[in-house]
Amino acid sequence: MTTANVSASDRRAAADSELVAEVKTLLASGKQVAAGERFAELIDRHQRRAARIAYYYLRDPAEVDEAVQDAFVKAFTHLPSFRERLFFELWFTRILMNGCYDRLKARSRRLRWMVPVDESEADQQDWIARQPATGLSPEAELLEAERRTELLAAVDRLPERQRAVVVLSQFEGHATRDVAEMLNLSEATVRVHLFRAIRTLRRHLAGATWLAQPPTRSAGEAKV
């Protein structure tokens, strides 16, 4: 990660911290409406990234929207107990991922008693249409979609912790120390999960030459 990127990340975290402190002050003063209006700015900043993370797990556009909304509601409700030792983005991501895990467990229980119904193509297209444009040609977009589908199918087969590490570090670009904070793991454990996940993905995706090489960076560096 470049110095410019580190500075931008630090500025975003600092801006979040200032806004969180303001919202907490408003809540402590009993100004719920004003606090909600200010918290909406945090939602605007993190909603797109939250939807991406939730979609990696849930793959159902309607459920993704519900999971993200629930996570923001929980974050707002528990904000008075939030301690700034952990950046808001990391704390919120932990809430979001725990919610996704709960939904997957509930889905698994439901599917024991019913025949699963595939997500409709219309729902998929609706979610995709709300994502930012890639700027790629139609042919390149098709190839990228095929690669993404193949990779996500392989990631789905990983154990829960390995999948979380891959999503946060390789898809979302978080540094090892941040992934460790979000998952409540040591940095060494995160690195072990990532190593095993990459090894497994290589086995599942044998012949897929586009799969990135395992990272060789130090623990504190994010993906280049």
Side-chain angles (χ1 to χ4, degrees):
M1 179 180 287
T2 65
T3 302
N5 286 335
V6 171
S7 298
S9 177
D10 288 346
R11 286 196 297 271
R12 288 194 299 270
D16 282 349
S17 295
E18 291 178 3
L19 188 51
V20 166
E22 182 179 345
V23 174
K24 290 176 68 174
T25 299
L26 290 170
L27 287 172
S29 302
K31 300 177 180 177
Q32 294 283 337
V33 174
E37 291 173 349
R38 297 298 287 152
F39 188 77
E41 292 189 29
L42 284 168
I43 294 177
D44 289 341
R45 293 178 188 178
H46 295 280
Q47 189 162 24
R48 181 176 295 174
R49 187 187 66 87
R52 276 201 315 270
I53 292 175
Y55 195 78
Y56 289 138
Y57 287 90
L58 303 174
R59 309 295 171 78
D60 180 325
E63 196 166 12
V64 165
D65 288 343
E66 291 177 1
V68 172
Q69 181 177 346
D70 286 350
F72 279 121
V73 169
K74 288 181 180 178
F76 182 73
T77 301
H78 295 286
L79 200 63
S81 63
F82 170 65
R83 297 294 177 263
E84 285 74 9
R85 180 190 67 81
L86 190 65
F87 289 143
F88 175 81
E89 179 181 346
L90 307 186
W91 178 70
F92 171 74
T93 301
R94 183 184 294 177
I95 293 174
L96 174 65
M97 294 186 71
N98 285 339
C100 289
Y101 291 148
D102 289 343
R103 286 176 176 273
L104 288 174
K105 291 174 184 176
R107 181 190 296 176
S108 179
R109 289 193 295 269
R110 289 196 304 271
L111 292 180
R112 293 175 188 172
W113 303 101
M114 65 178 64
V115 177
V117 178
D118 290 338
E119 179 187 44
S120 72
E121 182 178 351
D123 283 344
Q124 289 185 2
Q125 293 302 321
D126 178 67
W127 191 87
I128 293 172
R130 288 186 276 121
Q131 305 313 301
T134 62
L136 300 175
S137 67
E139 295 81 4
E141 285 188 352
L142 178 60
L143 178 59
E144 182 63 24
E146 291 174 349
R147 289 175 173 176
R148 184 164 54 248
T149 298
E150 185 178 2
L151 177 58
L152 290 179
V155 170
D156 278 347
R157 299 166 65 182
L158 294 173
E160 182 177 293
R161 286 299 186 191
Q162 291 182 22
R163 177 168 48 165
V165 168
V166 168
V167 167
L168 294 173
S169 67
Q170 302 303 293
F171 293 176
E172 292 299 310
H174 287 290
T176 301
R177 64 179 180 275
D178 292 340
V179 176
E181 287 279 9
M182 283 184 271
L183 300 180
N184 198 26
L185 301 172
S186 70
E187 291 186 27
T189 300
V190 168
R191 289 194 293 272
V192 169
H193 280 316
L194 181 58
F195 173 80
R196 292 176 177 171
I198 293 295
R199 183 176 59 187
T200 301
L201 288 174
R202 285 182 171 279
R203 186 168 64 250
H204 291 332
L205 296 167
T209 57
W210 47 266
L211 183 62
Q213 295 292 324
T216 57
R217 59 185 180 274
S218 63
E221 296 174 337
K223 183 174 63 175
V224 176

